[in-house]
């Protein structure tokens, strides 16, 4: 899944010595969400045509513009759906300051149908072991990812390490992606943020490693955290 931010044309880029202009944040999240959906339906014929031609980049700029009008720090993606043909995902990447905007967006969303489904956080994929991603010039099969899981039952959270046999081939700047992408694909962005504690990328195989689907079972079996033990991710 590819996440987009607003795409500016070359002629819109200011002199590099000029501070990037601060973009306004709507005060009324519900009104901004209503405006988004009006713009979405106006743009939908072009979106459908671009997806049908497998050229989603044709509508990237326009979609980035209407997402930015809802809140400039939101990300979005267009992807294949789980229940419908396509999905539209709008995410604040679990930033609590953005939750009112994604909540308002989801509340104002139209009913899902056979063509479109809508998500206010990145959902889990049905089977992460079937996913292969390109990180730089390296193809990473998530089926080869192994994790360890240290469960804190009282907190209802799990500390994990993440390992892949090709980790040494990745550039340093892509290793952070490799740390969190398999976890978000397995658990979904929201569950990963709520249920994972310390997350560490390791370069050597560890004892007691699990597959990603086994990690999903571990996290799914957690009970509610005890009062006073709810923390925030490291």
């Amino acid at each position: 899944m590819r996440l987009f931010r607003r795409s500016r044309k070359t002629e819109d880029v200011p002199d590099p010595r000029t501070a990037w202009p601060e973009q306004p944040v709507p005060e009324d999240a519900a009104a901004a969400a209503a405006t988004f959906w009006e713009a979405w339906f106006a743009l939908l014929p072009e979106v459908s045509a671009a997806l049908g031609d497998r050229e989603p980049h044709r509508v990237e700029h326009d979609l980035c513009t209407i997402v930015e009008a809802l809140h400039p720090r939101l990300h979005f993606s267009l992807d294949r759906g789980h229940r419908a043909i396509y999905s539209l995902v709008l995410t604040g990447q679990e930033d609590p300051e953005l939750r009112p905007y994604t909540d308002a967006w989801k509340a104002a969303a139209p009913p899902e149908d056979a063509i479109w489904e809508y998500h206010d956080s990145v959902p889990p994929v049905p089977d992460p072991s079937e996913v292969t991603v390109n990180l730089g010039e390296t193809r990473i099969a998530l089926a080869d990812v192994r994790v360890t899981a240290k469960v804190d039952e009282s907190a209802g959270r799990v500390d994990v390490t993440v390992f892949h046999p090709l980790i040494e081939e990745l550039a340093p700047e892509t290793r952070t992606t490799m740390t969190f992408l398999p976890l978000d694909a397995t658990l979904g962005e929201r569950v990963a943020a709520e249920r994972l504690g310390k997350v560490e990328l390791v370069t050597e195989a560890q004892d007691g490693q699990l597959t990603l689907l086994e990690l999903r079972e571990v996290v799914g079996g957690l009970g509610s955290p005890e009062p006073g033990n709810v923390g925030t991710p490291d």
Side-chain angles (χ1 to χ4, degrees), residues 3-86:
L3 294 180
F4 298 107
R5 291 291 298 275
R6 183 176 178 185
S7 151
R8 290 180 173 80
K9 297 179 181 178
T10 303
E11 59 268 23
D12 294 333
V13 178
D15 187 299
R17 296 166 294 181
T18 303
W20 195 263
E22 185 175 344
Q23 285 138 359
V25 175
E27 295 184 3
D28 188 335
T35 298
F36 172 93
W37 287 112
E38 291 176 3
W40 166 259
F41 283 116
L43 189 60
L44 190 54
E46 295 179 43
V47 173
S48 299
L51 292 175
D53 294 339
R54 298 185 179 182
E55 296 180 347
H57 62 273
R58 291 195 334 227
V59 290
E60 178 184 343
H61 178 76
D62 289 335
L63 287 173
C64 284
T65 298
I66 67 173
V67 169
E68 186 180 58
L70 177 58
H71 196 290
R73 299 211 314 271
L74 291 171
H75 295 70
F76 79 94
S77 71
L78 298 174
D79 206 354
R80 303 296 295 183
H82 298 164
R83 301 177 297 275
I85 296 175
Y86 300 116

Side-chain angles (χ1 to χ4, degrees), residues 135-155:
L135 295 179
E137 297 181 353
T138 306
R139 288 176 58 82
I140 298 292
L142 299 193
D144 296 329
V145 172
R146 294 293 181 268
V147 301
T148 62
K150 181 180 179 181
V151 178
D152 184 338
E153 293 284 359
S154 64

Side-chain angles (χ1 to χ4, degrees), residues 128 140 142 145 162 177-187 212:
I140 298 292
L142 299 193
V145 172
V162 180
T177 300
M178 186 59 224
T179 306
F180 293 99
L181 185 152
L183 303 175
D184 287 345
T186 301
L187 304 174
L212 291 174

Side-chain angles (χ1 to χ4, degrees), residues 115-144:
I115 307 299
W116 286 100
E117 60 189 61
Y118 310 100
H119 301 278
D120 57 355
S121 65
V122 177
V125 301
D127 186 352
S129 65
E130 296 180 352
V131 175
T132 298
V133 297
N134 294 321
L135 295 179
E137 297 181 353
T138 306
R139 288 176 58 82
I140 298 292
L142 299 193
D144 296 329

